[in-house]
Amino acid sequence: MPSFDVVSEVDMQELRNAVDQTRREIDTRYDFKGTAAAIELNEMELTLFGDAEFQVDQVMDILVQKISKRGIDVGCLEPGKLEEGGGKARRTVKVLAGIETDTARRIVKLIKEAKLKVQAAIQGDKVRVTGKKRDDLQAVIAMLREADVGLPLQYNNFRD
């Protein structure tokens, strides 16, 4: 029986490469010379540093540009609150990966409301969709691409 998985993943190697490119651009840009502008990657969290909010926003713009060039959906970034103090500013940005239970339930509900002959089951941080016809599965993929789930979704592990 054909099936596929709906997942929300981030290629960590590409993310690391984008952060390295951002760091290199910060080091070479004239307007960042002698400032505290920097970026760090810790597991699934980025930390942006700068002298003021304006610099942190500039670092974020560079990061978004590099991430989008590397094929990572920018929707996987969730910027946190700006923290200022002591003449410095910093912002933590969470990297969203995996589908939370509430979002998975919403995806299953959307699939059931579409009245297609498929079954959707939550399996950890992914949703498995199975059906008898490949066309029904492709219709589910098209419907989920149109729907606004709040996460960048990928469709993998397609089995026939």
Side-chain angles (χ1 to χ4, degrees), residues 9 11 13 25 46 52 57 65-66 76 83 87 97 112 125 130 141 148 154 157:
E9 296 175 341
D11 186 356
Q13 183 61 44
E25 185 166 334
L46 296 162
D57 291 341
Q65 179 186 23
K66 300 299 181 187
C76 70
E83 301 168 14
K112 288 188 183 205
D125 61 348
T130 58
I141 291 174
D148 182 30
Q154 293 89 32
N157 202 16

Side-chain angles (χ1 to χ4, degrees), residues 65-111:
Q65 179 186 23
K66 300 299 181 187
I67 281 179
S68 62
K69 278 186 180 178
R70 293 218 154 253
I72 300 173
D73 194 334
V74 182
C76 70
L77 299 179
E78 185 179 281
K81 199 173 73 173
L82 184 77
E83 301 168 14
E84 289 186 284
K88 305 286 182 205
R90 85 176 202 199
R91 171 175 283 145
T92 57
V93 179
K94 288 184 182 177
V95 179
L96 302 175
I99 300 175
E100 295 178 4
T101 308
D102 295 337
T103 308
R105 286 187 188 132
R106 203 163 76 229
I107 291 171
V108 170
K109 185 179 176 187
L110 284 171
I111 292 171

Side-chain angles (χ1 to χ4, degrees), residues 10-116:
V10 176
D11 186 356
M12 289 307 290
Q13 183 61 44
E14 290 295 335
L15 181 65
R16 249 182 259 117
N17 290 341
V19 169
D20 288 342
Q21 283 182 334
T22 303
R23 200 174 289 136
R24 258 185 259 122
E25 185 166 334
I26 288 170
D27 290 343
T28 60
R29 274 184 47 170
Y30 179 75
D31 55 340
F32 287 133
K33 293 285 184 202
T35 63
I39 184 170
E40 288 181 3
L41 172 65
N42 298 323
E43 295 295 316
M44 298 299 281
E45 188 174 85
L46 296 162
T47 309
L48 312 175
F49 299 98
D51 288 336
E53 180 180 1
F54 177 71
Q55 269 190 347
V56 173
D57 291 341
Q58 281 184 321
V59 172
M60 183 68 176
D61 291 342
I62 295 169
L63 176 67
V64 166
Q65 179 186 23
K66 300 299 181 187
I67 281 179
S68 62
K69 278 186 180 178
R70 293 218 154 253
I72 300 173
D73 194 334
V74 182
C76 70
L77 299 179
E78 185 179 281
K81 199 173 73 173
L82 184 77
E83 301 168 14
E84 289 186 284
K88 305 286 182 205
R90 85 176 202 199
R91 171 175 283 145
T92 57
V93 179
K94 288 184 182 177
V95 179
L96 302 175
I99 300 175
E100 295 178 4
T101 308
D102 295 337
T103 308
R105 286 187 188 132
R106 203 163 76 229
I107 291 171
V108 170
K109 185 179 176 187
L110 284 171
I111 292 171
K112 288 188 183 205
E113 287 174 353
K115 305 266 189 207
L116 295 168

Side-chain angles (χ1 to χ4, degrees), residues 119-137:
Q119 293 81 37
I122 300 171
Q123 295 184 341
D125 61 348
K126 61 185 173 186
V127 177
R128 165 110 0 119
V129 181
T130 58
K132 289 186 179 180
K133 295 182 181 175
R134 175 186 275 183
D135 293 340
D136 290 339
L137 297 180

